Amino acid sequence: MQPLRLKIALDMMGGDHGPQSTLPAAIEALCEFPHVDLVLCGDAELLTTELEQAGYLNHPQLSVQHASQTVLMTDKPSVALRNKRQSSMRIALDLVEQNKVAACVSAGNTGALIAMAHFVLKMLNGVERPALISSLPSTAGSPVFMLDLGATVNCDSDTLFQFAVMGAVMAEEVEGISRPKVALLNMGEEEIKGSDQIKRTSLLLSECADINYIGYIEGNDIFSGKADVIVCDGFVGNVALKTCEGVAKLILKRLETALKNSMSAQLFGWLIKPFLKSMSLGVNPDQYNGASLIGLRGIVVKSHGNATKEAFLSAIRQAVREVERQVPVKIKDRLEHVLIDKA
Amino acid sequence: MQPLRLKIALDMMGGDHGPQSTLPAAIEALCEFPHVDLVLCGDAELLTTELEQAGYLNHPQLSVQHASQTVLMTDKPSVALRNKRQSSMRIALDLVEQNKVAACVSAGNTGALIAMAHFVLKMLNGVERPALISSLPSTAGSPVFMLDLGATVNCDSDTLFQFAVMGAVMAEEVEGISRPKVALLNMGEEEIKGSDQIKRTSLLLSECADINYIGYIEGNDIFSGKADVIVCDGFVGNVALKTCEGVAKLILKRLETALKNSMSAQLFGWLIKPFLKSMSLGVNPDQYNGASLIGLRGIVVKSHGNATKEAFLSAIRQAVREVERQVPVKIKDRLEHVLIDKA
């Protein structure tokens, strides 16, 4: 069976590199997904010139949607929301809202994207706040979904509960994990464990038959594969993810120093270099995989601001998968089901 | 000038290995610190037998203080506090409170130690809550002090402000860093940055001339050396530290797999192994350095539960340094000074 045609909007101007990395990614996606049409949002003149140079002008899967503004990485979210209505980011989101495309992908300013997506697309029924979710690697081999990575700073227990349901749906639909193990991120000590919100969320989850809740998990087990879905508030998730990046840098720096200080190791540096590179990619998931903004009435995938062509392409893949698995509808259905069961 | 004699109590029964790692550490400390007397708290019969076997019975720097109970790693803090008044942990803390020793060191149950220390020693004037602080490695080479690592889950802005002052004193006194750069751990987005407590703490710190406050820092900069002291609440600090452990494990696992899959790498495995080992030690600071419980009227150093002889010895060193630098008095003085300046 031939897959149905679908259309995705790309914010071409976002990220540190703009079209320099978004355009090669878009071009590569054409081959990989012959059933996907791409709407390139950005400066039409610039994009047309670049497409012409690359020999892709008038390609049947491509169209250009002009945007006279660009959201800068330094723009404050509220300012971007107010003053950048003609930006490539906003226009890509508007296309989702108008049902002209099935999803959008951006490597732009995360805060602005969250604020705009929330404003333009609105929340799904039953979801109070959006969450940023990404899949991380694990020592067990299978990916681990973690949310929220920074969309919602203060989460009450209902919000965390909704995040757990959404995370389970993502793990099932995107990775095909059946009855994914869901855990709450918490700190170590038995008694002083976490805040009241976390304790209440734990209670809500253990009473919910639709969720395969396995209890608390600590930071040292994020990557162990004990859980398929890890739930926390946006502040903690953001700090944890960024800390990973910091540790990875520290380890690589130490390894390099150790190698430099050893004569024999210097000789074999060529042997180690590719490992270092692959490790740093795999361990900085934020820099490699796209993160999805979920809980909204539409699909928004966020690629890292410093995204390379490969990272942006990986975010496009993620968007295609979420469209094909109809993730927002599945989240809405699951939440309704859970709420009926609870009532 | 000969250093003054000082006395330190050791909880010999704490940690996963008990006297198996605490006793060899104590014996090694005798040589390293000829001016330090050690009070070994624990099962007197067991300790005497072990000391006799090691040839250290009746050593002039050693005395044994019998304790009929042991706090288990699985004991709930409140239960330990109520029912384990004859434990080695409690007796070591009582000796500090009675001014019979200048500090105590334990590798036992962290939650129980915090609860007991708080109850027995009480808070310093001007400090509302205790904090667990440890020094972490950085790519810049200098250590970074981070607090709170799990003593106080919910921190208001006054508590976080006091943590900042205490952390600065530790960096100055223990590491000799003058005007240490103090930062608040926060998440990335400019506008939605952190909670109201963090924003208010930032305001308090920027108004305080006694603190060299450099603003917010993100998780990826914990190990960069940008800040000498990083302040956060106990929940976030605990998750961040444990996450480091998880990432380090993941990287080592990946490196091992990569090495196994490469023929040539297998040959040079012997070359890489020592690096892996040194990295994992340096990157799991929690497992290697002692953490200090500060803000109390006495010095309490916590060694990791899984502490080896080296780790417990390193915690004893930390205690000696804090006694010699009179850390609690310095914290009290600094806080009084800061509060007078503020008034």
Side-chain angles (χ1 to χ4, degrees):
Chain A
M1 200 179 81
Q2 233 183 339
L4 286 173
R5 289 210 73 75
L6 56 94
K7 203 178 249 187
I8 289 176
L10 306 181
D11 167 11
M12 300 302 285
M13 313 305 281
D16 298 339
H17 312 300
Q20 224 183 311
S21 52
T22 56
L23 198 65
I27 288 171
E28 205 160 312
L30 298 176
C31 269
E32 191 171 329
F33 302 110
H35 65 299
V36 175
D37 295 327
L38 298 175
V39 183
L40 311 183
C41 306
D43 181 322
E45 205 184 313
L46 177 72
L47 291 173
T48 310
T49 312
E50 299 266 345
L51 282 172
E52 193 159 23
Q53 275 178 5
Y56 278 82
L57 198 60
N58 303 322
H59 188 284
Q61 284 170 260
L62 288 182
S63 59
V64 171
Q65 177 81 43
H66 179 62
S68 58
Q69 293 179 304
T70 298
V71 174
L72 305 178
M73 294 310 260
T74 48
D75 281 343
K76 287 197 171 189
S78 60
V79 176
L81 185 59
R82 222 170 23 240
N83 301 336
K84 299 263 171 114
R85 290 179 216 185
Q86 297 307 319
S87 62
S88 52
M89 181 185 281
R90 175 64 182 267
I91 285 173
L93 288 163
D94 286 340
L95 290 173
V96 178
E97 196 271 328
Q98 294 153 8
N99 278 320
K100 291 184 178 160
V101 298
C104 77
V105 179
S106 174
N109 182 325
T110 313
L113 185 66
I114 294 168
M116 276 189 186
H118 192 177
F119 176 81
V120 171
L121 298 176
K122 309 279 184 288
M123 303 309 300
L124 283 170
N125 278 343
V127 187
E128 280 158 66
R129 301 280 316 159
L132 208 53
I133 186 169
S134 186
S135 68
L136 317 180
S138 82
T139 50
S142 55
V144 176
F145 284 85
M146 185 158 161
L147 76 166
D148 171 35
L149 300 176
T152 301
V153 176
N154 294 309
C155 298
D156 63 16
S157 51
D158 289 330
T159 303
L160 288 172
F161 176 80
Q162 290 153 17
F163 287 178
V165 175
M166 297 200 293
V169 172
M170 282 290 282
E172 283 173 38
E173 296 301 331
V174 175
E175 282 294 332
I177 303 169
S178 85
R179 276 193 70 70
K181 292 165 284 176
V182 176
L184 271 175
L185 187 60
N186 205 342
M187 58 178 285
E189 305 313 321
E190 261 311 317
E191 201 141 344
I192 51 173
K193 252 182 182 162
S195 55
D196 293 338
Q197 292 103 289
I198 291 181
K199 285 176 198 160
R200 215 190 134 232
T201 311
S202 182
L203 201 67
L204 290 175
L205 287 170
S206 47
E207 284 167 354
C208 176
D210 290 294
I211 300 277
N212 182 12
Y213 175 60
I214 60 164
Y216 297 134
I217 204 169
E218 290 186 57
N220 50 339
D221 270 326
I222 291 178
F223 304 97
S224 71
K226 267 193 193 170
D228 300 309
V229 178
I230 297 173
V231 178
C232 59
D233 72 46
F235 188 87
V236 169
N238 188 280
V239 167
L241 196 71
K242 294 251 168 87
T243 302
C244 296
E245 205 180 307
V247 178
K249 270 189 229 158
L250 177 70
I251 294 185
L252 295 186
K253 178 80 190 278
R254 288 186 163 225
L255 203 58
E256 276 171 19
T257 310
L259 290 174
K260 241 182 241 161
N261 293 342
S262 155
M263 270 279 282
S264 46
Q266 271 183 358
L267 290 173
F268 305 113
W270 56 269
L271 196 75
I272 309 297
K273 287 269 164 66
F275 299 152
L276 294 189
K277 190 147 183 245
S278 71
M279 274 197 326
S280 65
L281 280 177
V283 168
N284 284 359
D286 181 36
Q287 300 218 345
Y288 196 59
N289 297 321
S292 302
L293 190 61
I294 58 174
L296 302 171
R297 298 171 190 259
I299 295 169
V300 180
V301 178
K302 168 73 180 69
S303 183
H304 194 275
N306 193 17
T308 55
K309 181 192 88 175
E310 281 71 27
F312 200 72
L313 181 59
S314 149
I316 297 174
R317 277 190 203 113
Q318 175 76 13
V320 171
R321 211 171 310 137
E322 289 182 37
V323 174
E324 289 177 339
R325 308 298 306 185
Q326 298 182 286
V327 168
V329 175
K330 299 270 170 61
I331 289 178
K332 191 181 125 283
D333 290 352
R334 182 70 59 86
L335 273 167
E336 277 170 8
H337 188 246
V338 165
L339 292 175
I340 289 166
D341 270 16
K342 269 174 85 182
Chain B
M1 199 181 79
Q2 233 184 339
L4 287 173
R5 290 210 73 75
L6 56 93
K7 204 179 249 186
I8 289 175
L10 307 181
D11 167 11
M12 300 302 287
M13 313 306 281
D16 297 340
H17 313 299
Q20 225 182 308
S21 52
T22 56
L23 199 64
I27 289 172
E28 206 161 312
L30 298 175
C31 268
E32 190 172 330
F33 302 110
H35 66 298
V36 174
D37 295 327
L38 298 175
V39 183
L40 312 183
C41 306
D43 182 320
E45 206 183 313
L46 177 73
L47 291 174
T48 310
T49 312
E50 299 267 346
L51 281 172
E52 194 160 22
Q53 277 179 4
Y56 278 83
L57 197 60
N58 304 321
H59 188 284
Q61 287 170 258
L62 287 181
S63 59
V64 171
Q65 176 80 46
H66 179 63
S68 59
Q69 293 180 303
T70 298
V71 174
L72 306 178
M73 296 309 262
T74 48
D75 280 344
K76 286 197 174 189
S78 60
V79 175
L81 185 60
R82 222 171 21 242
N83 300 336
K84 298 260 171 118
R85 290 178 217 185
Q86 297 307 318
S87 63
S88 52
M89 182 185 280
R90 175 63 182 267
I91 285 173
L93 288 163
D94 286 339
L95 290 172
V96 178
E97 195 272 325
Q98 295 152 7
N99 278 318
K100 290 183 179 159
V101 299
C104 77
V105 179
S106 174
N109 182 322
T110 313
L113 185 67
I114 293 168
M116 276 189 185
H118 192 178
F119 177 80
V120 171
L121 298 176
K122 309 282 184 287
M123 303 309 298
L124 283 171
N125 278 343
V127 187
E128 281 158 66
R129 301 281 315 159
L132 208 54
I133 185 168
S134 186
S135 67
L136 317 180
S138 82
T139 51
S142 55
V144 176
F145 284 86
M146 186 157 159
L147 76 167
D148 171 35
L149 300 176
T152 301
V153 176
N154 293 311
C155 298
D156 63 17
S157 51
D158 289 330
T159 303
L160 289 171
F161 176 80
Q162 291 153 16
F163 286 179
V165 175
M166 299 199 293
V169 172
M170 283 289 282
E172 283 174 39
E173 296 300 331
V174 175
E175 280 295 332
I177 303 169
S178 84
R179 280 191 70 69
K181 291 165 285 176
V182 176
L184 273 175
L185 187 60
N186 205 341
M187 57 180 284
E189 304 313 322
E190 262 312 317
E191 202 141 344
I192 52 172
K193 251 184 182 160
S195 55
D196 292 338
Q197 292 102 287
I198 291 181
K199 284 178 199 160
R200 213 189 134 231
T201 312
S202 182
L203 202 65
L204 290 175
L205 286 170
S206 47
E207 283 167 355
C208 176
D210 290 294
I211 300 277
N212 182 13
Y213 175 60
I214 61 163
Y216 297 134
I217 204 169
E218 291 185 57
N220 51 338
D221 270 326
I222 290 178
F223 304 98
S224 72
K226 267 193 194 172
D228 300 308
V229 178
I230 297 172
V231 178
C232 58
D233 73 46
F235 187 87
V236 170
N238 188 280
V239 167
L241 197 70
K242 294 251 169 85
T243 302
C244 295
E245 206 180 308
V247 177
K249 269 189 230 156
L250 176 70
I251 294 185
L252 295 185
K253 178 82 189 277
R254 287 187 163 224
L255 203 57
E256 276 170 20
T257 310
L259 290 174
K260 241 181 242 159
N261 293 343
S262 155
M263 269 278 282
S264 45
Q266 269 181 358
L267 291 173
F268 304 113
W270 56 269
L271 195 74
I272 309 297
K273 286 268 163 66
F275 300 151
L276 294 189
K277 191 148 180 243
S278 72
M279 275 197 327
S280 65
L281 279 177
V283 168
N284 284 0
D286 182 35
Q287 300 218 346
Y288 195 59
N289 297 321
S292 302
L293 191 60
I294 58 173
L296 302 170
R297 299 170 190 259
I299 295 168
V300 180
V301 178
K302 168 74 181 69
S303 183
H304 194 274
N306 193 18
T308 55
K309 181 192 86 174
E310 282 70 29
F312 200 71
L313 181 59
S314 149
I316 297 174
R317 276 189 205 117
Q318 175 77 12
V320 171
R321 211 172 307 138
E322 288 181 37
V323 173
E324 290 179 339
R325 307 298 308 183
Q326 298 182 285
V327 167
V329 175
K330 299 270 170 60
I331 288 178
K332 191 181 124 285
D333 290 351
R334 182 69 60 85
L335 273 168
E336 277 169 8
H337 188 246
V338 165
L339 292 175
I340 290 166
D341 272 14
K342 269 174 87 181

